[in-house]
Amino acid sequence: MNPSVTQKERIVSLDIIRGLALFGILFINVAAYQVIDEGGPMPDYSGINGVINTLIEIFIQKKFFSIFSFLFGVGFYIFASRAEARGDKPRWRFARRLLALLLIGIVHIVIFWGSILAMYAVVGFFLIPFYNAKVSTISKWLFAIITVHVFGILGQIFMPNQGAFSTVFSLLGNDTVAIFIMFLSGFLVAKIDWISHVGEYSKQIKWIQFVAFPFFVGISLWIWFASQAGDQNLQLIIGLGVIPTTYFYLACLFVMLENKRIVKLLKPIGRVGQMAFTNYLAQSFIGLAIISCMGLEVVSPSDVVIIAILIFVIQMIFSVIWFKFFKMGPFEKVWRFMTYGRKTVPNK
């Protein structure tokens, strides 16, 4: 039996999951770095490219953004609770942090149209009323929102063209609601302190794995067949699998990262996650540079795999070197300064 990791190592485990989420996000964002002009060349989706694209749809698309969203919710609770412990006003301070994120996100959209930062900032404000809520209240809200979200997606799949109902289904089943669900999930898990006591909650985590796994398998097969058939509802089917798949992935990762050897092995990935804000912003610049060097007019799925790996290897090397000299990433420090208005933590 593997001994549980210490509190310090468990924070490293969160950084590892955040780093893995950034790696998964690359498989979605890389193709979007190169804008396709109308009437111009199109990516190749035949042969191996088609298989790769389908595998990305099954295992990665929207799932790793959801893991990232979950960790944002975890971060909200950690940030706010620490602010309160210092005698600060946690909700006001977090609101200021979100406004700073919104500003940075708006600037980033000019560079990369697919940036999620501004959306995260806006959706993040809906977390604030839950800060002092009871765990039971949060759980009920989470269950209710998941239920209406799933109902919204199913309504779009099986009851299309229903006038006003279609509009309601579209609002309830959109990706913004899924982001908030994962925000609230991460906040709840942090509030009940699962993060610090994974071993003590092993039965609950195994139950999540047991319940989520059949949904993960079933919807994965549905995505495969829908992709092969060119089903117009493919994106909705992918969206239907986001919550169970993300819960399954997270449960497996938390269990796996109880192993000290695995944590040590994956520590370079943790360094990427430790400065996730900086690395997320940098990915678009590195990706565009690599695409330019490769002379690609369009990015096919096989190119996505190569470029994503190259970007992440560069970021692992850079992050490991950076933390030999500094205690936080450059944009993390900027964000912190915008949040507090003063340099409270040295960067050396």
Side-chain angles (χ1 to χ4, degrees), residues 231-245:
D231 194 327
Q232 64 179 0
N233 291 318
L234 177 60
Q235 291 304 310
L236 292 171
I237 298 167
I238 291 172
L240 194 62
V242 165
I243 295 171
T245 301

Side-chain angles (χ1 to χ4, degrees), residues 247-266:
Y247 284 169
F248 179 69
Y249 282 179
L250 285 166
C252 292
L253 285 168
F254 277 120
V255 171
M256 181 182 73
L257 292 173
E258 282 287 280
N259 187 309
K260 287 185 176 182
R261 292 194 185 99
I262 293 176
V263 169
K264 186 176 181 179
L265 181 67
L266 299 182

Side-chain angles (χ1 to χ4, degrees), residues 144-192:
I145 297 170
I146 290 174
T147 301
V148 298
H149 179 64
V150 172
F151 179 76
I153 296 175
L154 291 174
Q156 292 177 81
I157 295 173
F158 296 110
M159 292 186 290
N161 305 317
Q162 297 296 315
F165 284 106
S166 295
T167 302
V168 173
F169 291 148
S170 179
L171 289 172
L172 296 177
N174 67 32
D175 290 342
T176 304
V177 177
I179 288 172
F180 181 70
I181 287 170
M182 297 317 301
F183 278 5
L184 196 57
S185 298
F187 175 78
L188 177 62
V189 166
K191 189 176 180 71
I192 60 180

Side-chain angles (χ1 to χ4, degrees), residues 36-203:
I36 299 174
D37 297 322
E38 187 176 351
M42 297 295 291
D44 176 20
Y45 290 104
S46 62
I48 188 64
N49 280 310
V51 174
I52 292 171
N53 186 63
T54 302
L55 292 175
I56 289 173
E57 290 172 336
I58 293 171
F59 297 107
I60 297 176
Q61 189 168 341
K62 298 186 180 182
K63 284 83 171 179
F64 283 80
F65 274 114
S66 291
I67 292 174
F68 207 59
S69 301
F70 173 90
L71 293 170
F72 185 92
V74 172
F76 164 59
Y77 180 78
I78 293 173
F79 174 88
S81 59
R82 287 178 177 174
E84 187 174 28
R86 291 193 304 268
D88 203 348
K89 298 176 180 178
R91 286 176 288 190
W92 181 88
R93 185 62 65 185
F94 186 68
R96 179 166 169 169
R97 188 170 176 82
L98 289 174
L99 288 172
L101 180 63
L102 178 61
L103 180 61
I104 295 170
I106 291 171
V107 174
H108 192 223
I109 286 174
V110 176
I111 300 163
F112 172 47
W113 64 270
S115 175
I116 61 170
L117 299 179
M119 180 184 292
Y120 266 38
V122 173
V123 177
F125 280 100
F126 291 92
L127 272 178
I128 294 175
F130 288 93
Y131 180 66
N132 287 325
K134 295 179 181 178
V135 168
S136 59
T137 301
I138 298 170
S139 300
K140 290 172 184 176
W141 271 95
L142 182 59
F143 178 79
I145 297 170
I146 290 174
T147 301
V148 298
H149 179 64
V150 172
F151 179 76
I153 296 175
L154 291 174
Q156 292 177 81
I157 295 173
F158 296 110
M159 292 186 290
N161 305 317
Q162 297 296 315
F165 284 106
S166 295
T167 302
V168 173
F169 291 148
S170 179
L171 289 172
L172 296 177
N174 67 32
D175 290 342
T176 304
V177 177
I179 288 172
F180 181 70
I181 287 170
M182 297 317 301
F183 278 5
L184 196 57
S185 298
F187 175 78
L188 177 62
V189 166
K191 189 176 180 71
I192 60 180
D193 208 18
W194 279 25
I195 305 299
S196 301
H197 303 91
V198 172
E200 295 178 20
Y201 289 98
S202 60
K203 289 184 179 179

